[in-house]
């Protein structure tokens, strides 16, 4: 079967939606007719989306901050985790933390990341990331 022709046919009949919408049957749907309420996502699809989202966050960091590339892997993961959670516009509001990172003062960066509403909202996540930022070591096994 010519899958490209089938894809084109399904795109024509189902439409292509990049954001969730309610289909005519009332189900939350996305993409080309994917009923995410009943079908959901497979583990492979979740990993594919996660990989794309991590790439987006990493690319934004590389383009925005010269100091990012100089961080060790653990601290890069902390910053990616925060950008992933907050989005770049809100992450940029962590001005004192960012100054600490620019200066290589990871203790100051760790203190300033905790001095935020975000830290109280995410709880244990913020504590783990603070420890990773301060020490440069994984604070727990994942």
């Amino acid at each position: 079967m010519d899958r490209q022709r089938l894809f084109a046919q399904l795109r024509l009949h189902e439409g292509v939606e990049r954001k969730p919408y309610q289909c005519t049957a009332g189900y939350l749907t996305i993409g080309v007719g994917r009923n995410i309420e009943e079908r959901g996502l497979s583990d492979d699809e979740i990993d594919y989306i996660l990989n794309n989202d991590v790439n987006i966050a990493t690319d934004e960091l590389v383009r925005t901050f010269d100091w990012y590339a100089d961080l060790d892997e653990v601290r890069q993961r902390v910053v990616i985790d925060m950008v992933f959670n907050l989005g770049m516009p809100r992450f940029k509001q962590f001005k004192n933390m960012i100054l600490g990172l620019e200066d290589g003062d990871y203790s100051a960066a760790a203190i300033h990341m905790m001095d935020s509403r975000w830290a109280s909202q995410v709880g244990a996540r913020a504590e783990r990331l603070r420890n990773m930022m301060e020490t440069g070591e994984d604070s727990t096994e994942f």
Side-chain angles (χ1 to χ4, degrees), residues 1 8 26 33 37 45 57 74 76 78-79 84-85 89 92 98 118 120:
M1 176 184 305
E37 284 186 59
E45 290 165 328
V74 171
Q76 283 183 344
V78 169
V79 175
F84 187 92
N85 180 244
K92 285 177 156 182
I98 292 168
W118 166 82
S120 64

Side-chain angles (χ1 to χ4, degrees), residues 41-66:
L41 297 172
S42 70
D43 289 341
D44 287 343
E45 290 165 328
I46 291 167
D47 288 343
Y48 181 84
I49 292 168
L50 177 59
N51 185 62
N52 284 343
D53 289 345
V54 166
N55 287 343
I56 289 166
T58 303
D59 290 346
E60 287 177 326
L61 285 161
V62 167
R63 282 192 317 269
T64 306
F65 301 110
D66 293 335

Side-chain angles (χ1 to χ4, degrees), residues 80-116:
I80 291 171
D81 194 308
M82 290 181 71
V83 170
F84 187 92
N85 180 244
L86 293 161
M88 183 59 81
R90 289 198 343 244
F91 176 78
K92 285 177 156 182
Q93 294 174 7
F94 284 72
K95 295 185 185 309
N96 291 325
M97 177 192 165
I98 292 168
L99 287 173
L101 290 168
E102 285 176 356
D103 294 339
D105 187 346
Y106 304 123
S107 293
I111 289 167
H112 291 298
M113 67 193 286
M114 297 303 290
D115 185 24
S116 67

